[in-house]
Amino acid sequence: MSQNIKADLSQDAYKKAVIFLSELDDSWAQHIATVGPCRHEAKSNREPYEALIRAIAYQQLHTKAGDAILKRFLALYPEVSFPEPEQLLQTDPELQRACGFSASKLATIRGIALAKVQGEIPSLEEAKCLSDEALVEKLIPLRGVGRWTVEMFLIYSLERSDVLPVDDYGIREGYKRLKSLEKAPTSSQMRKIGEMWSPFRTIAAWYLWRLPNR
C-alpha cells in the first residue's frame, strides 16, 4: 500500500483528531465541544462502482432529496441490494429517469455502469492500493465524475482520513461560519487553509459540515 494512503478512521483516530483540532484555536475548540464526539460513519464494503453512483445521486441535492431519489431507483431492483452494472444498463432509461434523476445525472450513472463493464473502474481491493490522487486521476475522466464525487468515495468507502473536499459548498460555508467571516474562502484558499489540519482533514470536514446557519 502506498505510503501516502491514510485510511485510519478508527475511534482512536477520531479521539486524536478531536484533540488536534481543538488545540488549533478557540473557535475550533468551542465548535467541537458543542457538536461532541465525531460520529462519522463510513460504508467500507461498497465497491467503487456503487459508491460513485450513490455520490452522483446526491450531487447538488439536500440529503432528503437524494434519499428519496435513491430509494425510488433501488426499488426498480427489489431482488438485489444494488444493481449490477449490466442490470442497470439493461433497464429502460425512462424508468430510471422517473426516479428523479436529471438527464445529465442519468447519463453519468449509465456511463459509470458502462465503464465498470469495460474494466475502467477498479474493484474495492484494487482501489485500496491506490493513493487519493491516483484514484482522482483514474476516475475523473468518467463523464460527470468530478473531484468531489471521487472524494466522497475516498471518505465514505475507503475511509481515508486526510481528505478535504474544498469544492464542497458546505465546507467553505462551514469555515466561514466557524471564523465569522463576511465571505467564504475560495476552493484554492480552502485548500491552503486546510493544510494545517493534516493528517485529520476528513474529521475537520465532518465538523465543518455541522456548523449551523447563522
Side-chain angles (χ1 to χ4, degrees):
M1 194 176 273
S2 173
Q3 290 185 351
N4 65 344
I5 295 175
K6 300 179 181 68
D8 184 4
L9 286 179
S10 64
Q11 290 301 313
D12 185 54
Y14 289 160
K15 291 176 184 177
K16 290 178 181 178
V18 164
I19 293 171
F20 175 86
L21 294 170
S22 295
E23 291 178 346
L24 290 174
D25 55 46
D26 289 343
S27 57
W28 272 106
Q30 291 170 8
H31 175 52
I32 290 172
T34 299
V35 174
C38 177
R39 293 185 175 86
H40 170 71
E41 294 182 4
K43 303 292 183 181
S44 57
N45 61 334
R46 282 184 181 158
E47 287 289 324
Y49 151 75
E50 177 182 347
L52 290 173
I53 288 178
R54 286 179 177 272
I56 292 296
Y58 285 94
Q59 209 171 57
Q60 298 178 323
L61 292 176
H62 291 294
T63 301
K64 287 185 178 179
D67 285 344
I69 291 172
L70 195 58
K71 183 178 180 180
R72 290 192 289 269
F73 172 69
L74 294 178
L76 297 176
Y77 312 96
E79 69 280 10
V80 294
S81 59
F82 199 86
E84 292 296 324
E86 295 86 354
Q87 192 177 11
L88 190 155
L89 292 169
Q90 290 166 6
T91 305
D92 183 347
E94 289 304 313
L95 289 176
Q96 295 168 330
R97 183 88 159 83
C99 296
F101 294 116
S102 66
S104 176
K105 276 193 178 183
L106 182 56
T108 295
I109 286 169
R110 291 180 70 89
I112 290 171
L114 181 60
K116 177 59 177 176
V117 170
Q118 295 175 337
E120 298 172 19
I121 296 178
S123 68
L124 180 59
E125 290 308 308
E126 291 169 337
K128 287 178 179 178
C129 297
L130 296 173
S131 70
D132 296 352
E133 283 306 315
L135 281 164
V136 169
E137 291 176 9
K138 187 173 185 65
L139 296 173
I140 61 172
L142 299 173
R143 173 191 169 121
V145 175
R147 188 179 184 93
W148 179 89
T149 306
V150 182
E151 287 170 337
M152 294 304 102
F153 166 59
L154 293 172
I155 290 172
Y156 288 100
S157 293
L158 294 186
E159 300 183 285
R160 299 290 169 86
S161 51
D162 199 28
V163 179
L164 183 67
V166 298
D167 296 321
D168 190 285
Y169 175 82
I171 294 293
R172 299 197 308 274
E173 281 296 305
Y175 187 76
K176 171 188 169 184
R177 295 167 195 151
L178 180 73
K179 296 298 182 179
S180 300
L181 304 175
E182 292 185 5
K183 185 178 180 181
T186 64
S187 296
S188 59
Q189 289 170 335
M190 193 75 259
R191 184 173 291 105
K192 185 67 175 177
I193 292 166
E195 288 177 0
M196 70 181 69
W197 307 334
S198 183
F200 303 112
R201 283 177 283 192
T202 296
I203 310 304
W206 188 89
Y207 278 104
L208 289 176
W209 275 321
R210 278 150 186 80
L211 274 147
N213 288 309
R214 58 175 181 244

